[in-house]
Amino acid sequence: MRRTARGIAVLASAAIALAVTACGNDATEAPTKTDPAALSAELTWWDTSDPANEGPAFKELITEFNKTYPNVKINYQSVPFGEAQNKFKTAAAAKSGAPDILRAEVAWVPEFASLGYLYNLDGSELLADESDYFATPMSANKFDGKTYGVPQVTDSLALMYNKKIFTDAGIAQAPKTWADVKTAAAAIKAKTGKDGLFINAGGYFLLPFIYGEGGDLVDTAAKKITVNSAANVAGIAVAADLVKSGAAVKPPANDSYGTMMTLFKEQKVAMIINGPWEVNNLRNAPTFGGIDNLGVAAVPAGSAKAGAPVGGHNYVLYSGMAQDKAAAAIAFVKFMSSAQSQAVLADKLGVLPTRKSAYDIDKVKNNAIIAAFQPVVSSAVARPWIPEGGQFFGPLDTMATEVLVQGKDPKTSLDGVANKYKTEVVTAYTAS
């Protein structure tokens, strides 16, 4: 799925505080009974995955679920990712039209939980084997000491590269630093005539440059805005230099992400920064040369480290759901988040399981692409899991366009982001 829709919804902190006061933070605890013979319910599930690439696999799992739970009807609804965050909040606030189950982006969970819109799952059988989930994806489901979801899929950004172009350019291994990327891009241009790198002009895709210098967006412990720190300026300057030097393609003002994927699939650019959600797309691209032509490596390191953000989605339950539906909803999410179901999705879609045990299943263990992504995810950097976290990316997207497309000074642009955070997002935080 694309990450260009991040930060579409911007909610002022004052509105969050007002809604928290009105709704409270103590969501209803879900029941645990899942006896198939006893369950009869009709549930609505909003799936925010790509309807063409991913939706069919989820529908197949629903069919499998109904073999065990024939009296639980799942009303599957595909909801566009870019619309789902606002749509869910509007329906939940109105107490009308919200789904029983939602596939929520990781940053949405703390926000929805703070508004009182999600079930508290502590004590339910969904968490009976919580230790089987990787800690970092699971952390996105925690808010104020309680658990409001389980990880459906995890992801992170990696350096994805074209093996054939690398071979033609005489490059034996993936670049380990951004300086190595610059050197590799020069060799690729000289020996193949193709471009080296494409950096999508989206804020999420610039986080590896920020993390690479040891930076972050905010310091939640100190309640301080750090997005315009010296480390972050240095990181964004590295990305700007890659574009200015010609090592990376200058992204267009419109549909940067789509352009990146088109050029990569057509083998016109050798490297991109992207995630496992595009594996199925590349597998089916007739011009790419097959999935065996795809190389995956950790994002290159800056002066401090190599680091990419944790992404992914979680299954959550609506706190306003009718009580007699809750046991069936728990059973459905338990089935969908099982190691076996995650292995099916990994095999069909190339997405990454969130359960440790799923990696012991043959169809996952023997998948070379998933094996390549596993260390990428294990070293990924957790984002700030605060209610306002989903609002960080609108200003970051603007910054990415200003710096990579318009050539604006990184410090000036990051100062603008910091000001936006202070005035509209985390107003109680101090500025750096």
Side-chain angles (χ1 to χ4, degrees), residues 248-272:
V249 177
K250 182 177 179 179
N254 298 311
D255 197 16
S256 173
Y257 187 99
T259 301
M260 172 179 69
M261 290 310 303
T262 296
L263 293 177
F264 192 61
K265 286 188 289 186
E266 293 179 352
Q267 303 197 63
K268 294 177 180 177
V269 64
M271 296 175 279
I272 60 174

Side-chain angles (χ1 to χ4, degrees), residues 136 156 207 211 215-216 305-311 376-385:
T136 302
S156 188
L207 288 180
Y211 295 155
D216 208 332
K305 63 179 181 181
V310 170
V376 171
V377 171
S378 64
S379 61
V381 179
R383 286 145 57 189
W385 303 130

Side-chain angles (χ1 to χ4, degrees), residues 27-28 88 99-100 115-120 317-323:
T28 308
F88 180 81
D100 305 300
L115 295 168
Y117 296 160
L118 302 181
Y119 263 103
N120 172 10
L317 306 182
Y318 171 46
S319 61
M321 179 193 341
Q323 190 66 21

Side-chain angles (χ1 to χ4, degrees), residues 17-224:
L18 179 61
V20 170
T21 301
C23 300
N25 287 331
D26 294 324
T28 308
E29 289 195 10
T32 61
K33 187 176 180 181
T34 58
D35 178 9
L39 292 181
S40 177
E42 185 170 336
L43 303 170
T44 297
W45 176 36
W46 283 5
D47 176 22
T48 57
S49 71
D50 185 294
N53 286 333
E54 300 172 290
F58 288 110
K59 292 178 182 178
E60 289 178 20
L61 283 180
I62 292 173
T63 299
E64 289 300 311
F65 169 77
N66 282 138
K67 291 178 180 178
T68 303
Y69 295 90
N71 298 317
V72 179
K73 181 181 179 181
I74 305 298
N75 292 323
Y76 173 91
Q77 296 183 13
S78 178
V79 178
F81 175 77
E83 300 174 10
Q85 184 180 17
N86 266 346
K87 189 173 182 179
F88 180 81
K89 286 192 295 187
T90 299
K95 298 183 179 180
S96 176
D100 305 300
I101 303 153
L102 172 70
R103 177 182 182 267
E105 205 273 344
V106 289
W108 301 350
V109 178
E111 178 187 6
F112 294 166
S114 76
L115 295 168
Y117 296 160
L118 302 181
Y119 263 103
N120 172 10
L121 298 175
D122 291 320
S124 78
E125 63 179 288
L126 272 178
L127 302 182
D129 56 354
E130 181 178 346
S131 61
D132 190 39
Y133 288 105
F134 288 109
T136 302
M138 192 67 203
S139 69
N141 293 282
K142 307 286 186 178
F143 177 73
D144 200 23
K146 299 172 185 175
T147 307
Y148 292 94
V150 292
Q152 180 253 330
V153 66
T154 189
D155 62 54
S156 188
L157 294 173
L159 182 72
M160 300 170 74
Y161 61 94
N162 185 305
K163 292 180 180 178
K164 183 180 184 301
I165 295 177
F166 268 40
T167 298
D168 292 346
I171 301 171
Q173 62 180 6
K176 297 186 182 303
T177 68
W178 295 116
D180 293 340
V181 167
K182 202 170 184 179
T183 300
I188 288 165
K189 193 69 173 180
K191 296 182 180 180
T192 71
K194 298 181 178 182
D195 289 310
L197 175 70
F198 194 111
I199 306 170
N200 179 42
Y204 186 76
F205 293 81
L206 292 187
L207 288 180
F209 294 93
I210 285 174
Y211 295 155
E213 300 303 317
D216 208 332
L217 306 182
V218 295
D219 181 338
T220 56
K223 295 192 178 302
K224 183 178 180 180

Side-chain angles (χ1 to χ4, degrees), residues 333-387:
V333 172
K334 184 177 180 182
F335 174 85
M336 295 295 286
S337 61
S338 69
Q340 292 74 21
S341 293
Q342 290 194 8
V344 168
L345 295 176
D347 183 54
K348 290 180 177 292
L349 305 177
V351 295
L352 305 181
T354 62
R355 285 185 176 274
K356 301 168 190 174
S357 59
Y359 289 86
D360 295 325
I361 298 174
D362 284 346
K363 63 179 60 178
V364 177
K365 184 166 53 177
N366 299 328
N367 187 309
I369 298 297
I370 292 175
F373 268 106
Q374 188 176 2
V376 171
V377 171
S378 64
S379 61
V381 179
R383 286 145 57 189
W385 303 130
I386 58 176

